[in-house]
């Protein structure tokens, strides 16, 4: 058979596209998927991604108009502040009543009523703190971020 010499050249290996593509019918299955739905209702004010874009966990995706939820939060914080001041006043009165009771200047019932009023105000504050925490969560739901790192699929929403 015809043997002969074959010229050999050397080259440094490098990474890159080799330009070979294979067309075929098939299904691409992602490792992780995440379907997202908004936890609050409102007008979408901004969409921060494009179809097919790669996003990292925590990247902003969608903003929903938060003004309604921020107003509710401000109202709850105002109620909490008012009730904290009512508690401070009730505790101040309780201290006065305890001194007056020590001098036999008021009936026992007045002192006991004030003690219970302080406890009621403490319970009201605990409730108010829960409302404030809930409203903060609602405001947070207005800013949707990517829960995972990956590629975004179809963009099914637009501002408005």
């Amino acid at each position: 058979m015809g043997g002969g010499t074959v010229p050999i050249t050397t080259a440094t290996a490098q990474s890159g596209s080799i330009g070979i593509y294979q067309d075929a019918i098939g299904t691409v299955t992602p490792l992780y998927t995440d379907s997202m739905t908004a936890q609050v209702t409102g007008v979408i004010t901004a969409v921060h991604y494009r179809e097919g874009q790669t996003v990292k966990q925590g990247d902003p995706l969608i903003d929903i108009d938060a003004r309604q939820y921020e107003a509710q939060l401000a109202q709850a914080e105002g109620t909490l502040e008012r009730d904290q001041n009512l508690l401070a006043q009730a505790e101040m009165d309780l201290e006065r009543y305890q001194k007056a009771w020590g001098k036999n200047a008021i009936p026992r019932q007045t002192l006991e009523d004030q003690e219970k009023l302080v406890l009621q105000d403490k319970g009201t504050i605990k409730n108010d703190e829960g409302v404030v925490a809930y409203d903060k969560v609602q405001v947070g739901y207005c800013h949707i971020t990517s829960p995972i790192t990956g590629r975004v699929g179809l963009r099914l929403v637009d501002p408005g």
Side-chain angles (χ1 to χ4, degrees), residues 16-159:
S17 174
I18 59 171
I20 299 174
Y21 298 95
Q22 182 173 350
D23 292 326
I25 297 174
T27 303
V28 176
T29 306
L31 294 175
Y32 300 104
T33 60
D34 199 343
S35 297
M36 298 184 330
T37 57
Q39 299 294 314
V40 294
T41 59
V43 175
I44 295 174
T45 57
V47 178
H48 302 287
Y49 69 92
R50 296 176 316 279
E51 284 186 9
Q53 177 182 343
T54 300
V55 295
K56 294 182 181 137
Q57 183 176 7
D59 283 353
L61 298 177
I62 297 172
D63 288 332
I64 298 172
D65 187 2
R67 292 177 296 176
Q68 166 189 343
Y69 302 103
E70 289 167 346
Q72 289 173 341
L73 175 59
Q75 184 179 15
E77 288 172 338
T79 301
L80 174 61
E81 187 175 332
R82 181 199 67 210
D83 289 342
Q84 286 172 332
N85 288 316
L86 287 173
L87 174 61
Q89 180 183 4
E91 288 174 333
M92 200 168 50
D93 289 343
L94 177 59
E95 188 178 324
R96 288 186 193 126
Y97 289 173
Q98 288 170 335
K99 290 177 184 175
W101 168 252
K103 296 178 183 177
N104 251 354
I106 60 167
R108 177 87 182 143
Q109 181 180 357
T110 303
L111 175 63
E112 290 172 348
D113 287 347
Q114 191 62 31
E115 288 171 343
K116 296 304 177 196
L117 184 62
V118 166
L119 293 175
Q120 289 173 12
D121 287 344
K122 286 181 179 181
T124 300
I125 286 175
K126 192 170 190 175
N127 183 62
D128 292 345
E129 289 170 343
V131 172
V132 167
Y134 175 80
D135 287 343
K136 284 181 180 179
V137 168
Q138 297 302 309
V139 169
Y141 284 154
C142 291
H143 307 287
I144 300 172
T145 59
S146 177
I148 60 175
T149 297
R151 186 172 304 240
V152 178
L154 294 176
R155 178 176 151 172
L156 302 175
V157 296
D158 289 307

